[in-house]
Amino acid sequence: VWYVHDSIEDLQNAKKGEGKGASKKYVVAKNDKDARAQAEAKYGEEIILYRDEDVLDTWFSSGLWPFSTMGWPDENAPDFRKYFPGSVLETGHDILFFWVARMIMMSYGMTGKLPFHTVYLHGLVRDEQGRKMSKSLGNVVDPLGVIGDVGCDALRFTLATGTSPGQDLNLSLERLKSNRNFTNKVWNAGKFVLFAMEELSDDERIEIQKMSETIASSDTSSLSLSERWIISKLHQTVDQVTKSLDKYDFGIAGRNAYGFFYDDFADWFIESIKTKFNNKDDPEGKKRALAVTLYACDSILRLLHPFVPYVTEEIWQALPHSGDLLISQSWPETDQKKDDAAEQSYETLRSVVTKIRNARAEYNVEPAKKIENCTIVVKDSSALLSDLQSELAVLCSLARLDPASTTVASSAPADCEQSPSDYVNAIVADGVEVFLSLAGLADPAKESKRLKKQAEKLEKDLNGLNGRLNSEAFLSKARPDVVEKAQAEAKELSEQLAAVQARLKVMTDLLATTASK
């Protein structure tokens, strides 16, 4: 490109600032002679020509990127021989024809090879309202500012898991905050494992590490139910995450790893394994528990590392490990052994705990209070009965039960048959039930007093609402949707009142029974 100027002075002015000698008048030619001939024919002989110093068009030069950065045109250059052609290109769908097509054509034309075999098209990052970010709208989110607020890992995880291939992502600040909490949770889980090893000597740490490295290939039948369950769930998650990554389903892969960490490892396994760590009478059991925990934690960090590299690297460096950097470690192996029986038994344990927690909430049991006289009945499975009996300490810890009066049995206690009204019965699954003594759940006197107040308030609210609904003036003047809403509220209050009154009767009867004894 040659720019055409009327004088030397015009050219000098055009070179000031960021002008770079540009002009609205120009010609395109192969050489100086051809450019002079075109310019004089079009603009006259008294002209000054200035050749543009930027010789390549933006998309043209970008099209050369796959091989020009590797030492080309020297095809014997080390980088060219080692790294070209590449494998996968990741880019936005909006520049598929501007850039990707040019790279393919230029590479094939210049080298005879395709630059990559796969193109992964991600969506565009939009604002919370789904609008494309632009300076004119003032809705551009500064990634450095976001990193300063929530951290790089939270932003990276949000972008990686917030969309499916090709779909745009509405960047929500609430989602960013949620994923910041997730990275904090990962950090705290790592700290838990470190604190569990705090009193170990260096030799003991090395021993635990070596034990953890052999868990995947060793016999796990002697491990506790919680340990066998987390190992099986981990191996299942490794298969799921790896399969999704192989298919470039990065969002699904990240969400699977997130779900396993949050729902299984952090919320249940860590709480379950605390009973092993706190048992000073079984040092060998504690060692095995530490080894399983370290194995699970190390594998989780490897699975999460592509999504949250900084926090996982930091934790991994603090834990007992082999190697220099987490990023250079091998990926967890797939197709490792699973334990379906352990998974089913532990899922039953979770259901039992959930039922008991629901009963605690229903009867307003204080969080710190341990429920007395609880019986978990398993009728049709000796294996499940044995598993739950072996995890009695875990059940008591998770559901806040009194260990001295809690049992796992094959049949309900005689008291349940003789005085069923004295117990809360929760059906967990086919052949699995929980019996909770009402006396152990709540103080009848205190609970009766609380329920009376609650019933009085509900009755007052219901009477007020029924008064409006029985008023001809209200029914004739109010809009139909307002009347329907009031009727729905009255129905809901009536149901709540009936439930409270039924519970109040149970407590009153229990109080009378206790007094007679």
Side-chain angles (χ1 to χ4, degrees), residues 67 83 91 104 107-108 127 141 232 248 436 448:
F67 51 93
Y83 297 112
T91 185
I104 292 173
S107 181
Y108 195 70
D127 69 7
V141 177
S232 183
Y248 306 107
L436 295 167
S448 295

Side-chain angles (χ1 to χ4, degrees), residues 127-146:
D127 69 7
E128 286 188 86
Q129 301 176 39
R131 300 175 300 176
K132 192 170 183 178
M133 294 185 189
S134 68
K135 292 181 180 178
S136 59
L137 288 175
N139 64 341
V140 177
V141 177
D142 179 11
L144 293 179
V146 173

Side-chain angles (χ1 to χ4, degrees), residues 335-353:
D335 299 322
Q336 298 278 22
K337 58 189 174 186
K338 318 294 189 302
D339 190 337
D340 294 337
E343 290 191 36
Q344 291 173 7
S345 291
Y346 196 87
E347 289 306 319
T348 302
L349 182 149
R350 291 215 285 194
S351 298
V352 168
V353 171

Side-chain angles (χ1 to χ4, degrees), residues 362-363 447-448 450-460 462-463 493-509:
E362 184 179 352
Y363 286 91
E447 187 65 4
S448 295
R450 186 187 71 83
L451 289 171
K452 281 180 183 178
K453 287 184 178 180
Q454 189 176 357
E456 288 171 0
K457 184 180 184 306
L458 287 170
E459 198 166 1
K460 181 181 177 181
L462 181 59
N463 289 337
L493 285 173
S494 180
E495 291 172 353
Q496 290 178 6
L497 179 59
V500 170
Q501 287 174 337
R503 205 176 309 154
L504 177 59
K505 184 179 183 307
V506 171
M507 286 295 143
T508 304
D509 292 345

Side-chain angles (χ1 to χ4, degrees), residues 87-269:
S87 55
V88 180
L89 172 74
E90 177 268 343
T91 185
H93 59 77
D94 54 329
I95 55 174
L96 179 63
F97 295 104
F98 288 111
W99 186 33
V100 180
R102 282 174 169 81
M103 282 193 285
I104 292 173
M105 291 186 289
M106 295 291 286
S107 181
Y108 195 70
M110 296 293 185
T111 70
K113 298 177 182 177
L114 293 175
F116 30 74
H117 58 68
T118 299
V119 178
Y120 178 86
L121 298 177
H122 62 70
L124 302 179
V125 180
R126 299 180 180 272
D127 69 7
E128 286 188 86
Q129 301 176 39
R131 300 175 300 176
K132 192 170 183 178
M133 294 185 189
S134 68
K135 292 181 180 178
S136 59
L137 288 175
N139 64 341
V140 177
V141 177
D142 179 11
L144 293 179
V146 173
I147 290 171
D149 291 337
V150 300
C152 182
D153 282 334
L155 176 60
R156 181 184 177 100
F157 191 81
T158 301
L159 295 177
T161 62
T163 184
S164 300
Q167 293 184 343
D168 293 346
L169 167 67
N170 295 352
L171 189 59
S172 164
L173 294 180
E174 288 303 314
R175 186 182 295 173
L176 287 166
K177 291 178 182 177
S178 174
N179 288 330
R180 176 197 59 194
N181 296 339
F182 166 63
T183 59
N184 288 343
K185 189 87 169 179
V186 175
W187 178 261
N188 288 332
K191 284 173 61 178
F192 168 78
V193 180
L194 284 172
F195 287 151
M197 298 184 174
E198 196 171 24
E199 296 180 358
L200 299 182
S201 65
D202 290 343
D203 289 341
E204 287 174 324
R205 285 171 178 255
I206 293 172
E207 181 187 1
I208 296 298
Q209 182 196 336
K210 289 181 178 178
M211 288 174 63
S212 72
E213 292 173 350
T214 62
I215 282 175
S217 57
S218 61
D219 179 19
T220 58
S221 59
S222 62
L223 299 178
S224 70
L225 173 62
S226 301
E227 294 161 353
R228 287 183 283 121
W229 168 74
I230 199 65
I231 292 170
S232 183
K233 290 290 286 186
L234 171 63
H235 292 168
Q236 188 181 105
T237 304
V238 169
D239 290 350
Q240 293 170 345
V241 172
T242 305
K243 184 178 180 181
S244 296
L245 289 177
D246 288 343
K247 296 192 299 182
Y248 306 107
D249 287 333
F250 301 120
I252 294 176
R255 289 190 288 273
N256 282 337
Y258 173 99
F260 171 73
F261 169 78
Y262 240 123
D263 300 335
D264 296 328
F265 184 77
D267 283 358
W268 286 93
F269 177 71

